[in-house]
């Protein structure tokens, strides 16, 4: 594929309101092809909403969203759904289908979307599960028989099953113990590298951010208030970022919360 | 607060909801005819919605037929019209009580179940996940349930008709002292094809309403467990009211 733009994903002045409530308030963000961007920020600042606008689950109120330089933010829904092929997404709560066994979750897009034969899809699911470190024994279990970490891994396997060119991870390590979190981080790095995909990950977890990201951005009150190389995050010179990465209760963010 | 404002808000809310439901219904119906069609899912839902409702529908119809026979006997004996029991039971069951009782029972069972299932999928982002996996939630979730309910309800009502008449027969012969053969002949001679057919048409419409209300309220639910609970209640209440309203409209249409 020939990139017609320097950036694989580009957001310009994206706004999203729910009724009177402004959630995204002019987001500007660029991600280069093959790069991995981590987005940090407090709870409820619109990180998930931003991902959903980019992937097409929500339509932005205004602003431009470009994939490879092509405007997609305001396409009609069925055309937008047609672009889903390019994407894989690991949801915040894994969002596995609890009516289907693990292997059908992983092979879902192959069977329903691409019409692949069930036996072939099952083999492909087994291979993807192995890539995320799960043995074939889990294939026929129901998702709610799995631990949180295993569910995240199945979600990851499902997201990468059809070799997407863009992958989103919404809080992939939230709620996991530190060791499992690190396992997931490694898997994410590994999968993104293997696919050569462009990735955006949302996280509160600085260890995870440093491990997964090439670039980082911080979102606060619906705006990107800092972005740059992940290696520079410790001397960003931005007091909001400093407060966030050190997890301090006092600082400009708290001031804003009290004012709000 | 200004009472006029409250009334205005109520009316606006009503039209908003009607509009949302109309769009939802239009989308659902459009996806029934557009490919792909998931036959495997339609069949699975026919089992869940139709087959699994057999016990509750059958028992309801059986007891309704029985009590109908008792009441008509008591009422009829005041005019020396006891001999009409079997005919009136048969008419009442096939034209009205079979479809309506089955509709209300299935509304309680199925609308609630569908709203809870789809509502949970909504609040746990499974519906969003479906879309990211290039699968249209209307086709995958709504259409199979609508079709399954619309197709299976007439069969359920046919069985309800038979069991209801049987309930009347058992009460008639065991406790009211009717002769079995005469009772059956009076029922069969008196019923016309139209009586049964109109009931089955009603049944199909009720099936559609039941699945539509379950899917619609589940699909719109938000706000965690509380939201799913509200969706479940709304689904059952609205399905029941719509069934009764549709029943009146269909009766005046079919028998005019
Ligand atoms: N579908 C929706 N309808 C109304 N408000 C929403 C919706 N989705 C998200 N919000 C609101 O948007 C804000 C940001 O949510 P979200 O992006 O999920 O936060 P986070 O940054 O923690 O991922 C929250 O205040 C939430 O209540
Ligand atoms: Mg979130």
């Amino acid at each position: 594929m020939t990139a017609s733009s320097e950036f694989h994903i580009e957001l310009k002045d994206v706004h999203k309101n729910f009724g009177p409530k402004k959630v995204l308030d002019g987001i500007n963000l660029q991600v280069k092809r093959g790069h991995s961007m981590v987005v940090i920020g407090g709870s409820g600042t619109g990180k998930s909403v931003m991902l959903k606008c980019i992937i097409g689950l929500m339509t932005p109120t205004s602003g431009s969203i470009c994939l490879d330089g092509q405007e997609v933010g305001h396409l009609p829904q069925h055309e937008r759904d047609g672009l889903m092929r390019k994407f894989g997404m690991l949801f915040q709560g894994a969002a596995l289908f609890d009516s289907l066994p693990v292997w059908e979750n992983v092979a879902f897009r192959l069977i329903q979307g691409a019409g692949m034969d069930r036996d072939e899809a099952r083999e492909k699911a087994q291979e993807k599960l192995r890539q995320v470190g799960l043995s074939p024994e889990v294939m026929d279990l129901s998702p709610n028989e799995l631990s949180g970490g295993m569910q995240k891994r199945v979600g990851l396997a499902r997201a990468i099953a059809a070799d997407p060119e863009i992958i989103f991870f919404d809080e992939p390590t939230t709620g996991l113990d530190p060791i499992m979190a690190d396992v997931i981080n490694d898997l994410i790095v590994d999968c993104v590298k293997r696919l050569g995909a462009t990735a955006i990950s949302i996280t509160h977890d600085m260890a995870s951010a440093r491990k997964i990201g090439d670039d980082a951005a911080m979102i606060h009150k619906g705006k990107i208030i800092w972005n740059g190389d992940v290696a520079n995050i410790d001397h960003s010179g931005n007091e909001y970022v400093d407060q966030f990465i050190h997890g301090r209760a006092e600082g400009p963010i708290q001031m804003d919360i009290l004012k709000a | 607060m200004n009472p006029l404002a409250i009334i205005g808000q109520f009316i606006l809310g009503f039209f908003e909801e009607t509009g949302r439901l109309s769009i939802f219904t239009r989308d659902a119906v459009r996806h029934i005819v557009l490919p792909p069609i998931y036959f495997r899912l339609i069949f699975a839902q026919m089992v869940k919605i139709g087959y699994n409702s057999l016990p509750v529908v059958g028992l309801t119809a059986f007891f309704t037929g029985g009590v109908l026979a008792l009441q008509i006997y008591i009422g009829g004996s005041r005019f020396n019209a006891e001999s009409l029991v079997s005919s009136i039971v048969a008419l009442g069951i096939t034209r009205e009580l079979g479809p309506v009782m089955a509709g209300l029972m299935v509304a309680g069972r199925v609308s609630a179940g569908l709203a809870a299932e789809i509502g949970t999928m909504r609040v746990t982002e499974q519906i969003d996940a479906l879309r990211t996996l290039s699968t249209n939630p209307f086709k995958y979730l709504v259409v199979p349930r609508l079709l399954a309910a619309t197709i299976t309800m007439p069969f359920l009502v046919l069985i309800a008709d038979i069991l209801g008449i049987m309930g009347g027969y058992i009460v008639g012969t065991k406790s009211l002292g009717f002769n079995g053969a005469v009772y059956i002949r009076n029922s069969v001679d008196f019923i016309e094809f139209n009586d049964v057919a109109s009931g089955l048409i009603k049944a199909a419409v009720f099936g559609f309403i039941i699945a539509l209300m379950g899917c619609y309220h589940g699909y719109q639910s938000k706000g965690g467990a509380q939201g799913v609970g509200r969706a479940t209640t709304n689904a059952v209440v609205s399905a029941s009211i719509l069934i009764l309203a549709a029943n009146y409209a269909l009766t005046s249409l079919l028998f005019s």
Side-chain angles (χ1 to χ4, degrees):
Chain A
M1 189 173 297
T2 55
S4 54
S5 160
E6 186 192 355
F7 301 112
H8 200 179
I9 303 170
E10 184 168 23
L11 280 69
K12 278 182 241 153
D13 198 30
V14 171
H15 291 254
K16 177 70 182 173
N17 305 345
F18 293 105
K21 184 171 177 179
K22 287 185 182 171
V23 175
L24 300 183
D25 190 17
I27 294 268
N28 291 292
L29 189 70
Q30 288 116 1
V31 188
K32 292 203 183 92
R33 180 171 282 275
H35 273 235
S36 173
M37 161 76 74
V38 294
V39 176
I40 59 174
S43 297
T45 49
K47 305 183 298 297
S48 298
V49 169
M50 181 181 80
L51 283 193
K52 286 180 181 175
C53 285
I54 303 174
I55 202 173
L57 289 170
M58 289 177 178
T59 309
T61 310
S62 67
S64 143
I65 296 173
C66 293
L67 300 178
D68 274 331
Q70 192 202 351
E71 173 65 44
V72 299
H74 296 277
L75 290 179
Q77 177 142 52
H78 61 277
E79 280 180 50
R80 209 59 235 273
D81 283 350
L83 293 175
M84 289 289 184
R85 265 178 300 114
K86 292 174 186 266
F87 291 94
M89 177 155 178
L90 174 58
F91 283 84
Q92 198 165 340
L96 300 176
F97 305 126
D98 39 31
S99 57
L100 298 176
V102 166
W103 80 267
E104 279 194 59
N105 266 281
V106 176
F108 194 88
R109 184 199 287 272
L110 303 175
I111 297 175
Q112 306 295 348
M116 189 187 276
D117 172 71
R118 287 176 73 83
D119 291 330
E120 196 184 333
R122 192 181 157 96
E123 256 166 53
K124 189 93 192 222
Q126 182 167 2
E127 181 196 320
K128 292 291 170 185
L129 283 168
R130 196 168 38 232
Q131 276 178 25
V132 298
L134 291 174
S135 68
E137 280 107 74
V138 303
M139 295 241 290
D140 293 303
L141 295 180
S142 157
N144 40 36
E145 293 174 87
L146 305 178
S147 69
M150 283 164 106
Q151 288 184 356
K152 285 278 164 84
R153 285 202 254 183
V154 175
L156 181 58
R158 182 174 74 178
I160 61 169
D163 304 328
E165 51 181 275
I166 300 171
I167 317 185
F168 293 158
F169 303 99
D170 194 349
E171 303 196 13
T173 57
T174 301
L176 301 180
D177 68 75
I179 296 172
M180 182 53 75
D182 203 47
V183 170
I184 300 279
N185 288 336
D186 284 336
L187 285 171
I188 288 175
V189 171
D190 186 54
C191 290
V192 171
K193 278 225 178 74
R194 193 198 310 253
L195 293 170
T198 305
I200 300 182
S201 316
I202 287 173
T203 187
H204 297 293
D205 167 3
M206 290 316 297
S208 173
R210 284 177 228 272
K211 195 149 189 174
I212 306 173
D214 303 319
D215 309 304
M218 176 151 173
I219 186 170
H220 180 62
K221 294 179 95 185
K223 289 192 169 75
I224 301 286
I225 54 163
W226 180 82
N227 79 57
D229 201 313
V230 113
N232 296 335
I233 202 163
D234 290 308
H235 12 84
S236 62
N238 183 309
E239 45 185 338
Y240 288 84
V241 176
D242 275 344
Q243 187 193 346
F244 190 85
I245 64 179
H246 295 113
R248 285 192 293 258
E250 271 110 59
I253 298 177
Q254 184 208 21
M255 301 294 287
D256 286 348
I257 293 171
L258 291 178
K259 267 188 285 179
Chain B
M1 203 177 173
N2 182 347
L4 284 177
I6 298 178
I7 296 172
Q9 223 162 41
F10 176 81
I11 294 176
L12 281 181
F14 175 78
F15 282 121
E16 207 180 302
E17 185 78 9
T18 313
R20 256 205 302 270
L21 175 60
S22 309
I23 293 171
F24 185 90
T25 311
R26 185 203 61 193
D27 286 347
V29 170
R30 200 156 48 97
H31 284 294
I32 289 180
V33 286
L34 295 174
I37 296 169
Y38 298 113
F39 289 104
R40 173 197 284 268
L41 295 175
I42 297 173
F43 182 76
Q45 288 302 325
M46 285 171 76
V47 173
K48 264 199 196 162
I49 293 174
Y51 182 76
N52 292 348
S53 297
L54 267 179
V56 47
V57 168
L59 283 170
T60 309
F62 184 80
F63 287 115
T64 306
V67 84
L68 204 56
L70 269 182
Q71 291 282 23
I72 294 165
Y73 182 81
I74 295 165
S77 62
R78 295 181 191 159
F79 311 98
N80 294 325
E82 300 93 331
S83 59
L84 287 180
V85 166
S86 64
S87 324
I88 296 180
V89 167
L91 264 190
I93 290 283
T94 53
R95 285 168 68 143
E96 279 299 324
L97 290 171
V100 171
M101 296 299 277
L104 292 178
M105 295 311 283
V106 177
R109 205 186 89 84
V110 171
S111 290
L114 294 183
E117 183 187 13
I118 294 182
T120 307
M121 291 187 74
R122 163 62 79 200
V123 301
T124 57
E125 298 186 310
Q126 290 180 53
I127 291 185
D128 285 341
L130 268 181
R131 284 184 55 199
T132 67
L133 295 168
S134 303
T135 303
N136 187 310
F138 272 85
K139 282 204 189 328
Y140 187 81
L141 294 173
V142 178
V143 168
R145 286 162 175 78
L146 277 179
L147 281 180
T150 311
I151 295 169
T152 52
M153 264 305 275
F155 289 98
L156 279 173
V157 166
L158 199 60
I159 292 167
D161 287 350
I162 294 168
L163 285 170
I165 290 174
M166 213 156 87
Y169 170 84
I170 288 176
V171 170
T173 53
K174 300 288 175 228
S175 80
L176 303 177
F178 283 96
N179 173 293
V182 175
Y183 188 98
I184 299 251
R185 207 189 47 232
N186 277 346
S187 318
V188 175
D189 282 355
F190 204 73
I191 294 187
E192 287 172 16
F193 174 77
N194 272 352
D195 299 325
V196 180
S198 67
L200 300 187
I201 291 171
K202 285 180 179 180
V205 174
F206 297 168
F208 185 83
I209 290 174
I210 288 165
L212 184 70
M213 287 300 113
C215 293
Y216 172 73
H217 287 286
Y219 209 85
Q220 304 288 339
S221 62
K222 44 177 164 275
Q226 213 181 10
V228 176
R230 204 163 30 218
T232 310
T233 313
N234 289 344
V236 177
V237 171
S238 58
S240 306
I241 291 173
L242 282 177
I243 283 175
L244 294 173
N247 183 50
Y248 179 79
L250 286 170
T251 303
S252 54
L253 210 78
L254 291 167
F255 297 109
S256 63

